[in-house]
Amino acid sequence: QVQLVESGGGWVQPGGSLRLSCQASGSMARITSLGWYRQTPGEEREMVAILVGGGSTLYADPVKGRFTISRDSARNTLYLQMNSLKPEDTAVYYCSAAQYIGNDLLDVWGQGTQVTVSS
């Protein structure tokens, strides 16, 4: 099973940029998609961006045109480049992998990294 560790969160002023990283280790076999999600207190976790096999990407409407998901396979690292950040982007950001373990498709999560956008 893959293990995921996020980094790169922090505080940034509105309009600024951050790049989140997700370092993967362990077994990368049978991973069908990788993605970034975010969650604020009292709210459900929501999808931000997904990268599926073949390189197709999917973005949530609020981040389209501002965020970019990418992968460096040689470094086993997933990235989320976030530009033109807004206060409403403040959340804990989680990296996730959908991976088959046996016949079961499991969602594997990292521990999360806090992003705070404020002046």
Side-chain angles (χ1 to χ4, degrees):
Q1 183 172 327
V2 65
Q3 291 86 48
L4 304 170
V5 178
E6 302 95 334
S7 62
W11 173 84
V12 64
Q13 292 185 332
S17 298
L18 281 176
R19 188 178 77 160
L20 305 183
S21 299
C22 174
Q23 180 67 57
S25 61
S27 172
M28 256 66 77
R30 305 179 74 196
I31 290 176
T32 61
S33 66
L34 297 164
W36 289 96
Y37 294 73
R38 66 187 182 187
Q39 189 171 22
T40 55
E43 300 293 328
E44 293 189 358
R45 195 169 297 185
E46 63 177 7
M47 185 273 290
V48 175
I50 294 176
L51 180 66
V52 298
S56 297
T57 56
L58 177 67
Y59 294 93
D61 286 343
V63 308
K64 283 182 180 177
R66 300 189 297 123
F67 290 11
T68 302
I69 187 171
S70 63
R71 177 182 184 180
D72 185 336
S73 297
R75 298 176 186 268
N76 291 329
T77 304
L78 183 72
Y79 300 102
L80 184 68
Q81 178 66 44
M82 306 186 294
N83 298 328
S84 302
L85 282 161
K86 305 175 181 179
E88 50 263 44
D89 295 318
T90 295
V92 178
Y93 283 71
Y94 297 89
C95 175
S96 178
Q99 184 177 36
Y100 274 101
I101 305 297
N103 293 324
D104 297 323
L105 184 61
L106 301 181
D107 291 322
V108 181
W109 298 93
Q111 83 288 351
T113 185
Q114 176 71 46
V115 172
T116 302
V117 185
S118 72
S119 54

